[in-house]
């Protein structure tokens, strides 16, 4: 990753001081560089990312094309974004203070723009007060603390400058009597697709429903889905819900068709971006809870290995779970 340009604009509604920067951040500064790059890494791998498609009349798309063609500079482009954000947040019923970080960066031979809306948070810091010859150390509230490098940013967008493709995440704001997502609706002016996390949840729900309606163990089916997710992440960053259904219901064309029908009904995309970190987080383990209140968490791949765990369908319709080859039990 190479950061080419970055700027920070401050919309501080707590103190009614909004400062639009006239110069870029000094990316040569180690603290600045670390802050920018680590937050970029976090948002790129955020499972809440939604895909979007620019509207044909999007002012952002038109301005970005002018920027790519060097008809406007980075600072002028950033100020236009900051002013539109300011106009919208000003009309919000809750004027959250926001620091707008805009970054132009290059990665894997592609150029990107990133917009990070960082809500300031309340924190406490020390203050030194002098009373005549005496010094008093005190504690005061500080309303302009940026999110730490390990903290999640709720509102952001990453735009591929050449492909004009984008992903984003945003939170709802109440503006002029309406619920509004400022990033996609007012700034980017784009459509909004489902996030990777939402698609995976929907696929899991459909798989479990198909299994239960056709007399199969939904836990076994979901474990197969998780294994497929992990295996797929080794060779691709995209996942096809239909191909997943064909794999987990490989022994029954009827169940494959039922799964495909529900995927179509839910209007899920043909393919969805699933990063390696999300695949691992989602697929590494499986948790079940019985109607008797017992909870078990175990590696998803154990479903395929009866040396460790086995589900047994009893003649009376109940299910037994047998745990095998246990060398030691640890109380937690």
């Amino acid at each position: 990753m190479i950061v080419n340009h970055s700027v920070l604009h401050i919309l501080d509604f707590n103190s009614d001081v909004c400062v639009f920067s006239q110069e870029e951040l000094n990316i040569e500064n180690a603290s600045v560089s670390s802050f920018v790059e680590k937050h970029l890494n976090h948002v790129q791998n955020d499972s809440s990312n939604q895909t979007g498609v620019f509207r044909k009349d999007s002012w952002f798309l038109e301005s970005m094309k002018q920027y790519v063609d060097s008809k406007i500079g980075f600072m002028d482009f950033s100020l236009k974004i900051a002013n539109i954000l300011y106009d919208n947040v000003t009309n919000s019923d809750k004027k959250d203070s926001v620091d707008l970080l805009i970054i132009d960066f290059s990665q894997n031979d592609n150029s990107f723009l990133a917009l990070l809306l960082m809500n300031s948070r309340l924190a406490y810091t020390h203050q030194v007060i002098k009373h005549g010859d005496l010094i008093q150390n005190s504690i005061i509230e500080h309303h302009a603390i940026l999110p730490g490098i390990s903290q999640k940013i709720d509102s952001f967008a990453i735009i591929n400058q050449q492909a004009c493709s984008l992903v984003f995440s945003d939170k709802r704001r109440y503006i002029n009597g309406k619920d509004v997502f400022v990033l996609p609706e007012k700034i980017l002016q784009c459509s909004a697709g489902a996030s990777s996390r939402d698609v995976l949840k929907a696929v899991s729900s459909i798989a479990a429903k198909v299994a239960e309606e056709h007399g199969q163990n939904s836990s076994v089916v979901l474990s197969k889905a998780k294994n497929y997710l992990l295996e797929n992440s080794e060779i691709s960053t995209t996942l096809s819900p239909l191909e997943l259904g064909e794999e987990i219901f490989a022994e029954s064309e009827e169940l494959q068709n039922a799964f495909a029908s529900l995927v179509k009904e839910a209007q899920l995309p043909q393919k969805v971006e699933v990063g390696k970190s999300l695949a691992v987080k989602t697929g590494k383990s499986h948790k079940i809870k019985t109607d008797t209140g017992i909870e078990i968490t175990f590696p998803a791949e154990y479903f395929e290995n009866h040396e460790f765990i086995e589900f047994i369908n009893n003649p009376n319709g109940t299910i037994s779970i047998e745990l095998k080859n246990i060398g030691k039990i640890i109380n937690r």
Side-chain angles (χ1 to χ4, degrees):
M1 179 191 300
I2 300 174
V3 176
N4 305 309
H5 305 282
S6 61
V7 64
L8 183 69
H9 296 303
I10 302 170
L11 284 68
D12 187 350
F13 291 101
N14 287 313
S15 58
D16 290 325
V17 176
C18 294
V19 183
F20 294 162
S21 182
Q22 296 177 324
E23 291 188 350
E24 296 182 23
L25 288 170
N26 178 13
I27 205 65
E28 299 298 323
N29 181 290
S31 296
V32 172
S33 176
S34 176
F35 182 89
V36 170
E37 292 181 6
K38 288 185 177 180
H39 274 301
L40 273 179
N41 284 326
H42 288 321
V43 297
Q44 287 184 94
N45 294 311
D46 196 311
S47 61
S48 65
N49 282 351
Q50 295 177 260
T51 57
V53 177
F54 285 112
R55 289 180 0 210
K56 291 182 179 180
D57 62 346
S58 166
W59 74 264
F60 185 95
L61 177 60
E62 180 60 31
S63 296
M64 186 179 71
K65 288 179 178 178
Q66 293 178 2
Y67 170 64
V68 171
D69 292 338
S70 300
K71 294 180 180 179
I72 58 173
F74 175 76
M75 290 301 299
D76 288 338
F77 187 24
S78 76
L79 286 168
K80 191 171 184 178
I81 299 169
N83 274 290
I84 291 177
L85 176 62
Y86 174 81
D87 290 343
N88 280 279
V89 175
T90 298
N91 293 324
S92 175
D93 66 328
K94 183 180 180 182
K95 296 182 177 66
D96 293 327
S97 292
V98 177
D99 282 16
L100 172 62
L101 178 60
I102 304 178
I103 310 153
D104 178 315
F105 69 100
S106 303
Q107 191 172 39
N108 300 326
D109 297 324
N110 288 302
S111 297
F112 298 90
L113 279 169
L115 314 180
L116 276 59
L117 278 59
M118 302 179 294
N119 287 92
S120 301
R121 59 186 178 87
L122 173 64
Y124 294 86
T125 186
H126 60 251
Q127 182 182 44
V128 178
I129 305 172
K130 190 172 183 180
H131 299 289
D133 295 331
L134 300 176
I135 292 177
Q136 178 191 28
N137 293 336
S138 185
I139 298 172
I140 60 170
E141 292 182 344
H142 200 302
H143 291 270
I145 302 299
L146 293 173
I149 56 178
S150 62
Q151 288 181 295
K152 177 180 171 62
I153 294 177
D154 294 321
S155 300
F156 60 85
I158 303 173
I159 306 99
N160 186 311
Q161 297 181 39
Q162 282 69 42
C164 295
S165 59
L166 67 128
V167 296
F168 70 91
S169 178
D170 200 11
K171 67 175 186 178
R172 184 182 289 105
R173 297 174 188 271
Y174 197 69
I175 299 175
N176 292 330
K178 296 181 179 179
D179 285 331
V180 175
F181 289 95
V182 171
L183 264 177
E185 296 178 27
K186 301 297 183 181
I187 295 180
L188 300 170
Q189 294 187 320
C190 68
S191 64
S195 69
S196 301
R197 183 172 56 191
D198 290 339
V199 172
L200 290 181
K201 285 183 179 179
V203 168
S204 296
S205 177
I206 290 171
K209 182 177 181 179
V210 170
E212 290 168 359
E213 290 181 350
H214 291 80
Q216 291 201 6
N217 189 320
S218 61
S219 293
V220 173
V221 169
L222 289 177
S223 74
K224 289 181 178 179
K226 291 186 175 186
N227 283 334
Y228 178 84
L229 178 62
L230 285 175
E231 291 171 359
N232 182 76
S233 69
E234 296 293 337
I235 57 175
S236 176
T237 59
T238 62
L239 175 75
S240 166
L242 291 179
E243 291 177 3
L244 181 145
E246 292 172 358
E247 176 68 23
I248 62 177
F249 296 118
E251 298 177 357
S252 172
E253 185 175 346
E254 179 187 358
L255 269 63
Q256 291 178 33
N257 292 335
F259 181 87
S261 177
L262 289 176
V263 166
K264 183 178 180 180
E265 183 180 316
Q267 298 183 331
L268 298 184
Q270 292 185 350
K271 290 187 179 293
V272 62
E273 289 284 335
V274 179
K276 183 68 178 290
S277 60
L278 176 59
V280 171
K281 183 179 180 180
T282 305
K284 67 179 180 180
S285 63
H286 191 66
K287 183 176 182 178
I288 60 174
K289 183 176 181 179
T290 70
D291 57 4
T292 56
I294 298 173
E295 295 185 10
I296 306 174
T297 302
F298 47 88
E301 66 267 22
Y302 278 16
F303 264 119
E304 303 293 332
N305 190 338
H306 290 171
E307 290 184 11
F308 297 104
I309 187 170
E310 185 175 2
F311 287 76
I312 303 169
N313 294 313
N314 300 317
N316 63 358
T318 61
I319 300 172
S320 295
I321 303 173
E322 185 177 353
L323 304 180
K324 306 176 182 179
N325 295 318
I326 299 173
K328 184 178 181 181
I329 294 178
I330 301 173
N331 292 314
R332 296 196 176 234

